[in-house]
Amino acid sequence: MNDTNLDTIPGDLAYFNAAEYTVFDERHRFNLLHNERRTVIKNKLLHLHEIIYPEMQRRRWKIYPHWHKGWIVSAWYISPHMACIPFMRLRYAKPQTLMRRMEKLFLDDFGHFHAHVMLAVTIDKDAIGIELSIPSAAWVDGQNLRGKLVGAPDAYEFRRQFGEIVSSLGFRAQVQIEERTSEGHGRIWTKRARAFRSPAPLATASALYEPGKHVLRIGTWYRPDDPQLNATTIGREVLARFEQLYPLYQLIAWSPTNDYRRYAVKKWPRAGSQ
């Protein structure tokens, strides 16, 4: 890897300062007076994009930022259409051509990134997450994952792949299932990623997770003062975690050549069967 681009942020202080996390707390996430501070956060996320995306392209990852440059980062200002901002994201997902094709096939609005599985850097009041996320609106990707793990003829191999990828994410990584609320997300289940070395956590998660209702998040969350996310190291850390998560993204992301939705209606196999 050419490290030159990854060292373009000077200094060794935290990339996001402590005050910037507070705009997402319960007191401030509805307040338009904090739009200016959220704009600062947006610009930092855009700077991070400028650092990591050329390397993502060099590695030929088939995952893309929003085609509209103004929406590479998720919403950052309070408006009549966005009354609450509990988090912000730098996110990468499918190309526009595939999203438009999905709109024609499934007769739904897939023009928004929150309707697709994504790799993302997420900042909220507590932490920075480097994660793979299947939002509740990404029901096609969620059904595709469920179909591959539960009912597909080669589901045993898909479960093995999924377990290997997740369990290799590192001792800090977690798998979370959340239910969306008007004020953010409420966690209903969480497990350390390394526990997925055994089949039981995957069986539990598959039984709980409902595509279209729940948010599935897999990644690593860092406290605000974590030295791995200081100004000189955050680019490398994001790329390292994305590199681990990208095979999982490829496994999940629906496309005409990765279509297992029809198997999603089946039940998890009985214990002891493949």
Side-chain angles (χ1 to χ4, degrees), residues 3-16 48 51 226-238:
D3 288 341
T4 303
N5 290 336
L6 304 183
D7 291 326
T8 55
I9 305 176
D12 57 359
L13 299 176
Y15 191 56
F16 296 100
L48 181 59
I51 294 168
D226 196 304
Q228 290 178 285
L229 296 188
N230 67 36
T232 59
T233 58
I234 188 171
R236 289 192 187 89
E237 188 68 14
V238 171

Side-chain angles (χ1 to χ4, degrees), residues 56-257:
M56 293 169 66
Q57 290 177 300
R58 191 190 70 80
R59 298 182 190 188
R60 300 183 184 275
W61 292 352
K62 295 181 179 180
I63 187 166
Y64 309 91
H66 200 286
W67 56 89
H68 190 295
K69 290 184 178 180
W71 291 105
I72 291 175
V73 175
S74 63
W76 65 92
Y77 60 90
I78 299 296
S79 71
H81 304 289
M82 185 63 64
C84 174
I85 300 179
F87 61 84
M88 287 170 58
R89 275 181 173 151
L90 170 65
R91 64 268 173 94
Y92 302 89
K94 298 168 188 159
Q96 183 183 19
T97 51
L98 181 53
M99 294 185 185
R100 296 306 184 204
R101 184 171 182 179
M102 290 174 66
E103 289 184 319
K104 294 178 180 179
L105 288 172
F106 301 112
L107 302 178
D108 204 343
D109 183 4
F110 289 100
H112 303 280
F113 264 37
H114 63 252
H116 303 274
V117 59
M118 66 179 76
L119 297 186
V121 180
T122 304
I123 178 171
D124 61 23
K125 67 181 179 67
D126 297 316
I128 295 284
I130 305 175
E131 63 180 294
L132 177 143
S133 174
I134 309 179
S136 55
W139 57 271
V140 170
D141 295 317
Q143 289 180 357
N144 196 50
L145 173 62
R146 181 170 178 79
K148 294 184 86 166
L149 297 179
V150 175
D154 40 3
Y156 178 76
E157 175 61 20
F158 288 134
R159 291 197 292 271
R160 184 192 65 78
Q161 292 178 24
F162 186 92
E164 284 186 356
I165 296 170
V166 172
S167 63
S168 69
L169 293 178
F171 74 97
R172 296 173 61 180
Q174 295 183 348
V175 178
Q176 300 177 2
I177 299 175
E178 300 175 351
E179 193 162 10
R180 187 166 186 174
T181 68
S182 60
E183 297 186 356
H185 297 104
R187 190 179 306 173
I188 63 172
W189 187 83
T190 185
K191 197 75 173 179
R192 290 282 186 183
R194 61 186 177 182
F196 281 71
R197 294 189 186 101
S198 66
L202 181 53
T204 302
S206 297
L208 289 173
Y209 173 61
E210 296 183 38
K213 177 181 179 181
H214 295 141
V215 180
L216 179 63
R217 303 173 72 187
I218 303 171
T220 303
W221 283 266
Y222 302 75
R223 66 184 185 274
D225 62 346
D226 196 304
Q228 290 178 285
L229 296 188
N230 67 36
T232 59
T233 58
I234 188 171
R236 289 192 187 89
E237 188 68 14
V238 171
L239 281 169
R241 301 287 79 78
F242 273 11
E243 186 168 41
Q244 292 178 311
L245 291 167
Y246 182 62
L248 200 59
Y249 172 86
Q250 292 178 299
L251 185 74
I252 295 169
W254 181 94
S255 73
T257 57

